[in-house]
Amino acid sequence: MQPPAASRVSTVVDVDLGDRSYPIYIGAGLLNEPGLLQRHVHGKRVLVVTNTTVAPLYLEKVTWALTHDNPNVSVESVILPDGEKYKDMDTLMKVFDKAVESRLDRRCTFVALGGGVVGDMCGFAAAAFLRGVNFIQIPTTLMAQVDSSVGGKTGINHPLGKNLIGAFYQPQCVLIDTDTLNTLPDKELASGIAEVVKYGLIRDAPFFEWQEKNLSALLAREPSALAYAIKRSCENKAEVVAQDEKESGLRATLNLGHTFGHAIETGTGYGAWLHGEAVAAGTVMAADMSHRLGWIDESIKKRVINILEKAKLPIAPPGAMTVEKFKSIMAVDKKVADGLLRLILLKGPLGSCVFTGDYDRNALDETLRAFCDS
Amino acid sequence: MQPPAASRVSTVVDVDLGDRSYPIYIGAGLLNEPGLLQRHVHGKRVLVVTNTTVAPLYLEKVTWALTHDNPNVSVESVILPDGEKYKDMDTLMKVFDKAVESRLDRRCTFVALGGGVVGDMCGFAAAAFLRGVNFIQIPTTLMAQVDSSVGGKTGINHPLGKNLIGAFYQPQCVLIDTDTLNTLPDKELASGIAEVVKYGLIRDAPFFEWQEKNLSALLAREPSALAYAIKRSCENKAEVVAQDEKESGLRATLNLGHTFGHAIETGTGYGAWLHGEAVAAGTVMAADMSHRLGWIDESIKKRVINILEKAKLPIAPPGAMTVEKFKSIMAVDKKVADGLLRLILLKGPLGSCVFTGDYDRNALDETLRAFCDS
């Protein structure tokens, strides 16, 4: 087992969580470096969890990276159907079935190979199998690389709400091979950009300004622009998660636009819209409400709409979403506490936000009415 | 909210786990002390998880204890079918369904009211709902009071093996009202005694000797004998769990007889035998194997058989269990590591044991052949 040549890993971002700390490796061609992955495998047995879209593209390569010059390790895999609508208990059981049938034991390692759905499900399966086994994230979508693979949130959807069942469970490492973005559809790329924009809006004005200047480069998949966007997003997320792993407050700000966005995803049926598409529309709604409350200048709201529109992301919910639908779904959001819905809203200059239940209810109603036909 | 009169709580055993520490209250009539329970409830919403046997006996009383002089708290309940065979994903989903439909949020509290199955399922549901909500154990069987409610192991069964899916998740408190044992069937009482015997054998010779002298009193349900057995069992368990919460070594010794016992439970179909009945037979098998290895005197093996027989517990597996059945089920036990089955075996004087994979395989084969017809 060779340590990788330092030159090949462009960047390492450390997630500082005491004895649960771990590195995020970011670079082109990292899946060609078996040593990098192998040093984080515990035990002799590996279960790769992936889906029908990603398996034909990368499963063979990942299996090679896990086993090259490493004959003691054997790899099993389970290939799930692709899509948010399969992020449910029935599909999760397929992972447990495979793990039990393969007689995996506590010294095994689960590897998530795919986007956010695969990462969330594999992570929760790793958290719950034998009450917890080791786990590695290999995110292959921009969404997963800049957001969902980092920070240990894992879980599945309930028919009545998104991510209602899960665990906080940290991986051994996150390995981001930016080459995997070459096979990503444009819509998926845009979906990831919605989360990149989020980091700028909630806490990093210079990053938002960089995005405004470099959006064309990101959409054209210029490697250096993508690498910088991923690195800066992971750094922002790692800083927030290190301060508030279990989301007692600060971490919730990473959910800007997500309460509206989750309602869209739940209300239209999981998978009708990509997560980032729903978040984009939700972010516009959050900005609109922040402006109605007098908490941000109109110019910020316009810049939000502008950048998301340029990224070809939706800036309003689909017609099927009514005011009532939003309200009833948002009532079961995880950020409700003792019956009060708390929201992440922009407040102050660019790059500032609050997480609060202390806002004028009328502003929420006005925003919902402004964005819904009925 | 009144603090309880000190005189009413016979004993408090503290489980020392840093910021996850919690008290175990043990005493007669503790459910008549609303303040005791209420001080550990977080938020305004409570979900009591219980079963069809326990609900008619204690649900009303627990609801009273939660809400008496406490009008801000509202209580929902979900009543599961009774029995180990329902400790599965489908039944677990009923808890999530109820929680989501009731729009419970992160500031709610789950209360497990019942035996080990209810406690394990409610605990896992609390660990996974919204990635973790508060949770209280009110065990009503001797088995749950002396063992399963303490220490944070939660989970459900997989068709191919027991407790393969779950979490380590600690409650806010464990409340043991010994009056609830008055409604416990004799078979269930005996089942709990199997775990009490275990503590003596693995680490507490004076406690085992006390049990030999007081077994009739326990079977006759003398309150002071039961209270002492529960207290000493909880103290033993709390000491072990405090040293090794996640079972990296020492904690595994609490599973004396359980590898054989789980195989019996899985092999005969969950629920055919009570957990303690299977553990009793498994403990005799572990003692037999320890003796074959020359690790304990025959006198200890005889005392094990003697005390379990007196408690009217089985001292051999059912006829349906073959050598092959034992072997194939034990191969997926959680204590297998890198393919090697580790066992808890008695070694040395009374009250001493080891957790090891370093034993003569022939002794295991001989024990299996001695206890199985084929």
Side-chain angles (χ1 to χ4, degrees), chain B residues 16 49-50 104 114 172 191 201 203 218 244 249 259 308 317 322 345 360 374:
Chain B
D16 181 9
V49 178
T50 186
L104 298 187
Q172 303 297 310
S191 175
L201 289 174
R203 67 190 310 270
L218 288 173
D244 178 23
T259 301
L308 295 172
T322 63
L345 295 164
D360 183 347
S374 63

PDB file of all heavy atoms in Angstrom, chain B residues 16 49-50 104 114 172 191 201 203 218 244 249 259 308 317 322 345 360 374:
ATOM      1  N   ASP B  16     -22.473   6.310  33.849  1.00  0.00           N
ATOM      2  CA  ASP B  16     -21.517   7.406  33.670  1.00  0.00           C
ATOM      3  C   ASP B  16     -20.944   7.386  32.254  1.00  0.00           C
ATOM      4  O   ASP B  16     -20.033   6.631  31.943  1.00  0.00           O
ATOM      5  CB  ASP B  16     -20.403   7.254  34.711  1.00  0.00           C
ATOM      6  CG  ASP B  16     -19.373   8.361  34.605  1.00  0.00           C
ATOM      7  OD1 ASP B  16     -19.607   9.331  33.853  1.00  0.00           O
ATOM      8  OD2 ASP B  16     -18.329   8.249  35.265  1.00  0.00           O
ATOM      9  N   VAL B  49     -44.404   4.588  23.151  1.00  0.00           N
ATOM     10  CA  VAL B  49     -44.400   3.380  22.321  1.00  0.00           C
ATOM     11  C   VAL B  49     -44.583   2.193  23.260  1.00  0.00           C
ATOM     12  O   VAL B  49     -43.805   2.019  24.204  1.00  0.00           O
ATOM     13  CB  VAL B  49     -43.079   3.250  21.539  1.00  0.00           C
ATOM     14  CG1 VAL B  49     -43.070   1.976  20.711  1.00  0.00           C
ATOM     15  CG2 VAL B  49     -42.852   4.472  20.659  1.00  0.00           C
ATOM     16  N   THR B  50     -45.633   1.409  23.023  1.00  0.00           N
ATOM     17  CA  THR B  50     -45.908   0.279  23.910  1.00  0.00           C
ATOM     18  C   THR B  50     -46.494  -0.855  23.078  1.00  0.00           C
ATOM     19  O   THR B  50     -46.433  -0.809  21.848  1.00  0.00           O
ATOM     20  CB  THR B  50     -46.822   0.727  25.073  1.00  0.00           C
ATOM     21  OG1 THR B  50     -46.963  -0.349  25.993  1.00  0.00           O
ATOM     22  CG2 THR B  50     -48.183   1.192  24.590  1.00  0.00           C
ATOM     23  N   LEU B 104     -44.685  15.421  15.121  1.00  0.00           N
ATOM     24  CA  LEU B 104     -43.729  15.615  16.204  1.00  0.00           C
ATOM     25  C   LEU B 104     -42.477  16.268  15.642  1.00  0.00           C
ATOM     26  O   LEU B 104     -42.093  16.017  14.501  1.00  0.00           O
ATOM     27  CB  LEU B 104     -43.378  14.271  16.843  1.00  0.00           C
ATOM     28  CG  LEU B 104     -44.554  13.545  17.489  1.00  0.00           C
ATOM     29  CD1 LEU B 104     -44.072  12.312  18.233  1.00  0.00           C
ATOM     30  CD2 LEU B 104     -45.301  14.465  18.450  1.00  0.00           C
ATOM     31  N   GLY B 114     -42.638  -0.949  28.161  1.00  0.00           N
ATOM     32  CA  GLY B 114     -42.802  -2.378  27.898  1.00  0.00           C
ATOM     33  C   GLY B 114     -41.521  -3.132  28.146  1.00  0.00           C
ATOM     34  O   GLY B 114     -40.656  -2.692  28.911  1.00  0.00           O
ATOM     35  N   GLN B 172     -32.630   9.432  28.258  1.00  0.00           N
ATOM     36  CA  GLN B 172     -32.486  10.503  29.256  1.00  0.00           C
ATOM     37  C   GLN B 172     -32.514   9.927  30.661  1.00  0.00           C
ATOM     38  O   GLN B 172     -31.909  10.466  31.575  1.00  0.00           O
ATOM     39  CB  GLN B 172     -33.635  11.510  29.136  1.00  0.00           C
ATOM     40  CG  GLN B 172     -33.768  12.141  27.771  1.00  0.00           C
ATOM     41  CD  GLN B 172     -32.567  12.958  27.409  1.00  0.00           C
ATOM     42  OE1 GLN B 172     -32.135  13.790  28.193  1.00  0.00           O
ATOM     43  NE2 GLN B 172     -32.005  12.723  26.242  1.00  0.00           N
ATOM     44  N   SER B 191     -37.233 -15.728  32.537  1.00  0.00           N
ATOM     45  CA  SER B 191     -36.411 -15.250  31.424  1.00  0.00           C
ATOM     46  C   SER B 191     -35.473 -14.128  31.884  1.00  0.00           C
ATOM     47  O   SER B 191     -34.279 -14.113  31.562  1.00  0.00           O
ATOM     48  CB  SER B 191     -37.325 -14.778  30.290  1.00  0.00           C
ATOM     49  OG  SER B 191     -36.585 -14.203  29.245  1.00  0.00           O
ATOM     50  N   LEU B 201     -21.951 -14.666  36.829  1.00  0.00           N
ATOM     51  CA  LEU B 201     -20.958 -15.550  36.200  1.00  0.00           C
ATOM     52  C   LEU B 201     -19.810 -14.781  35.558  1.00  0.00           C
ATOM     53  O   LEU B 201     -18.666 -15.217  35.619  1.00  0.00           O
ATOM     54  CB  LEU B 201     -21.632 -16.432  35.144  1.00  0.00           C
ATOM     55  CG  LEU B 201     -22.548 -17.519  35.702  1.00  0.00           C
ATOM     56  CD1 LEU B 201     -23.268 -18.240  34.568  1.00  0.00           C
ATOM     57  CD2 LEU B 201     -21.741 -18.509  36.545  1.00  0.00           C
ATOM     58  N   ARG B 203     -18.726 -11.575  36.189  1.00  0.00           N
ATOM     59  CA  ARG B 203     -17.906 -10.577  36.905  1.00  0.00           C
ATOM     60  C   ARG B 203     -18.228 -10.371  38.374  1.00  0.00           C
ATOM     61  O   ARG B 203     -17.639  -9.504  39.020  1.00  0.00           O
ATOM     62  CB  ARG B 203     -17.983  -9.218  36.188  1.00  0.00           C
ATOM     63  CG  ARG B 203     -19.342  -8.536  36.223  1.00  0.00           C
ATOM     64  CD  ARG B 203     -19.413  -7.346  35.301  1.00  0.00           C
ATOM     65  NE  ARG B 203     -18.344  -6.387  35.424  1.00  0.00           N
ATOM     66  CZ  ARG B 203     -18.356  -5.338  36.246  1.00  0.00           C
ATOM     67  NH1 ARG B 203     -19.372  -5.110  37.046  1.00  0.00           N
ATOM     68  NH2 ARG B 203     -17.335  -4.506  36.270  1.00  0.00           N
ATOM     69  N   LEU B 218     -36.627 -14.917  44.825  1.00  0.00           N
ATOM     70  CA  LEU B 218     -36.841 -14.236  43.543  1.00  0.00           C
ATOM     71  C   LEU B 218     -38.054 -14.825  42.824  1.00  0.00           C
ATOM     72  O   LEU B 218     -38.911 -14.086  42.330  1.00  0.00           O
ATOM     73  CB  LEU B 218     -35.599 -14.365  42.653  1.00  0.00           C
ATOM     74  CG  LEU B 218     -34.371 -13.535  43.068  1.00  0.00           C
ATOM     75  CD1 LEU B 218     -33.164 -13.886  42.194  1.00  0.00           C
ATOM     76  CD2 LEU B 218     -34.675 -12.040  42.975  1.00  0.00           C
ATOM     77  N   ASP B 244     -16.958   0.813  28.314  1.00  0.00           N
ATOM     78  CA  ASP B 244     -16.884   0.383  26.907  1.00  0.00           C
ATOM     79  C   ASP B 244     -18.244   0.533  26.250  1.00  0.00           C
ATOM     80  O   ASP B 244     -18.896  -0.450  25.900  1.00  0.00           O
ATOM     81  CB  ASP B 244     -16.400  -1.078  26.853  1.00  0.00           C
ATOM     82  CG  ASP B 244     -16.338  -1.609  25.427  1.00  0.00           C
ATOM     83  OD1 ASP B 244     -16.236  -0.802  24.473  1.00  0.00           O
ATOM     84  OD2 ASP B 244     -16.398  -2.851  25.258  1.00  0.00           O
ATOM     85  N   GLY B 249     -14.694  -4.195  23.348  1.00  0.00           N
ATOM     86  CA  GLY B 249     -14.128  -5.396  23.974  1.00  0.00           C
ATOM     87  C   GLY B 249     -14.946  -5.826  25.188  1.00  0.00           C
ATOM     88  O   GLY B 249     -15.869  -6.621  25.091  1.00  0.00           O
ATOM     89  N   THR B 259     -24.462 -15.802  21.984  1.00  0.00           N
ATOM     90  CA  THR B 259     -24.192 -16.227  20.612  1.00  0.00           C
ATOM     91  C   THR B 259     -24.945 -17.536  20.332  1.00  0.00           C
ATOM     92  O   THR B 259     -25.632 -17.673  19.322  1.00  0.00           O
ATOM     93  CB  THR B 259     -22.679 -16.384  20.382  1.00  0.00           C
ATOM     94  OG1 THR B 259     -22.060 -15.120  20.637  1.00  0.00           O
ATOM     95  CG2 THR B 259     -22.379 -16.791  18.949  1.00  0.00           C
ATOM     96  N   LEU B 308     -29.993 -22.518  36.858  1.00  0.00           N
ATOM     97  CA  LEU B 308     -30.922 -22.272  35.747  1.00  0.00           C
ATOM     98  C   LEU B 308     -32.066 -23.287  35.780  1.00  0.00           C
ATOM     99  O   LEU B 308     -33.221 -22.940  35.496  1.00  0.00           O
ATOM    100  CB  LEU B 308     -30.167 -22.327  34.418  1.00  0.00           C
ATOM    101  CG  LEU B 308     -29.116 -21.214  34.230  1.00  0.00           C
ATOM    102  CD1 LEU B 308     -28.286 -21.454  32.970  1.00  0.00           C
ATOM    103  CD2 LEU B 308     -29.771 -19.834  34.167  1.00  0.00           C
ATOM    104  N   PRO B 317     -30.641 -26.669  24.019  1.00  0.00           N
ATOM    105  CA  PRO B 317     -31.428 -26.091  22.902  1.00  0.00           C
ATOM    106  C   PRO B 317     -32.561 -27.027  22.498  1.00  0.00           C
ATOM    107  O   PRO B 317     -32.542 -28.211  22.841  1.00  0.00           O
ATOM    108  CB  PRO B 317     -30.399 -25.962  21.786  1.00  0.00           C
ATOM    109  CG  PRO B 317     -29.324 -26.938  22.106  1.00  0.00           C
ATOM    110  CD  PRO B 317     -29.283 -27.064  23.599  1.00  0.00           C
ATOM    111  N   THR B 322     -29.844 -28.076  14.851  1.00  0.00           N
ATOM    112  CA  THR B 322     -28.788 -29.002  14.450  1.00  0.00           C
ATOM    113  C   THR B 322     -27.428 -28.296  14.526  1.00  0.00           C
ATOM    114  O   THR B 322     -27.364 -27.071  14.617  1.00  0.00           O
ATOM    115  CB  THR B 322     -29.006 -29.474  13.004  1.00  0.00           C
ATOM    116  OG1 THR B 322     -28.924 -28.316  12.148  1.00  0.00           O
ATOM    117  CG2 THR B 322     -30.370 -30.119  12.836  1.00  0.00           C
ATOM    118  N   LEU B 345     -16.469 -16.836  27.045  1.00  0.00           N
ATOM    119  CA  LEU B 345     -16.332 -18.124  27.717  1.00  0.00           C
ATOM    120  C   LEU B 345     -15.885 -17.893  29.150  1.00  0.00           C
ATOM    121  O   LEU B 345     -15.210 -16.904  29.454  1.00  0.00           O
ATOM    122  CB  LEU B 345     -15.314 -18.986  26.957  1.00  0.00           C
ATOM    123  CG  LEU B 345     -15.772 -19.364  25.525  1.00  0.00           C
ATOM    124  CD1 LEU B 345     -14.599 -19.874  24.693  1.00  0.00           C
ATOM    125  CD2 LEU B 345     -16.898 -20.395  25.570  1.00  0.00           C
ATOM    126  N   ASP B 360      -9.732 -23.616  20.909  1.00  0.00           N
ATOM    127  CA  ASP B 360      -9.658 -24.829  20.088  1.00  0.00           C
ATOM    128  C   ASP B 360     -11.017 -25.065  19.415  1.00  0.00           C
ATOM    129  O   ASP B 360     -12.028 -25.247  20.101  1.00  0.00           O
ATOM    130  CB  ASP B 360      -9.277 -26.008  20.997  1.00  0.00           C
ATOM    131  CG  ASP B 360      -9.092 -27.313  20.219  1.00  0.00           C
ATOM    132  OD1 ASP B 360      -9.497 -27.360  19.024  1.00  0.00           O
ATOM    133  OD2 ASP B 360      -8.567 -28.261  20.810  1.00  0.00           O
ATOM    134  N   SER B 374     -28.492 -33.940  15.784  1.00  0.00           N
ATOM    135  CA  SER B 374     -27.897 -34.188  14.462  1.00  0.00           C
ATOM    136  C   SER B 374     -27.134 -32.943  14.007  1.00  0.00           C
ATOM    137  O   SER B 374     -27.281 -31.859  14.577  1.00  0.00           O
ATOM    138  CB  SER B 374     -28.960 -34.528  13.436  1.00  0.00           C
ATOM    139  OG  SER B 374     -29.831 -33.423  13.279  1.00  0.00           O
TER     140      SER B 374
END
